[in-house]
Amino acid sequence: MNKTLGKTLIGLGIVSCALYYCVQTNVRMFFVITGSMEPLIPARSLVISKKINAEEVKTGKVIIFNDQNNKRVTAHRVMETKESGYVTRGDANEYQDRFRVQPTDIIGAVIGVFPLGNFVTISLQMVFL
């Protein structure tokens, strides 16, 4: 067996184990493509999130949520809690998000960040698409 094939099989084994772990523990992985949360979460990073309840959402926590305005998943920091929902903002953004995140939109809280760079991100996206 050549080295490239061996490394590919090992990589696929690691990814398979990670996906199995995620399914069993309510942990999810997301690819971040923008720099709105830099420097904490650089663009082209893999983010690991754990499911949380609305009661666990506190000011300062970075959450993953369904952005109903843009129809995409977003990772931003909770700036404030109001009756109308959670006020969020990307660390690198000048202004708060225009919409309020509702408890039903929350997917989880960020528990890990792995900067990957261009090549790895594109490769992983091609595998999962």
Side-chain angles (χ1 to χ4, degrees):
M1 180 179 347
N2 67 35
K3 287 183 180 181
T4 305
L5 179 59
K7 288 180 181 179
T8 301
L9 291 175
I10 290 170
L12 288 173
I14 291 170
V15 168
S16 297
C17 289
L19 290 174
Y20 177 78
Y21 174 79
C22 289
V23 169
Q24 296 300 317
T25 61
N26 284 323
V27 170
R28 294 186 65 188
M29 294 185 281
F30 298 93
F31 293 105
V32 174
I33 56 174
T34 70
S36 69
M37 282 300 294
E38 289 185 346
L40 177 69
I41 305 173
R44 298 173 300 281
S45 292
L46 177 67
V47 173
I48 309 297
S49 76
K50 180 136 178 88
K51 187 175 182 176
I52 60 171
N53 297 321
E55 299 82 38
E56 298 174 82
V57 177
K58 306 287 183 219
T59 300
K61 189 175 285 261
V62 178
I63 60 171
I64 306 283
F65 57 91
N66 287 309
D67 180 342
Q68 300 299 335
N69 258 3
N70 297 317
K71 305 294 183 212
R72 64 181 179 189
V73 175
T74 302
H76 279 174
R77 187 175 305 280
V78 176
M79 305 305 291
E80 189 178 349
T81 301
K82 294 188 172 192
E83 283 191 32
S84 59
Y86 301 102
V87 178
T88 57
R89 180 175 63 86
D91 289 354
N93 293 347
E94 190 174 340
Y95 301 103
Q96 296 175 343
D97 297 330
R98 286 180 259 164
F99 57 91
R100 300 294 178 254
V101 176
Q102 302 304 310
T104 55
D105 296 330
I106 297 171
I107 297 170
V110 173
I111 60 170
V113 178
F114 301 93
L116 299 175
N118 287 332
F119 176 75
V120 175
T121 302
I122 291 168
S123 299
L124 287 173
Q125 286 174 341
M126 290 175 70
V127 167
F128 289 111
L129 292 178

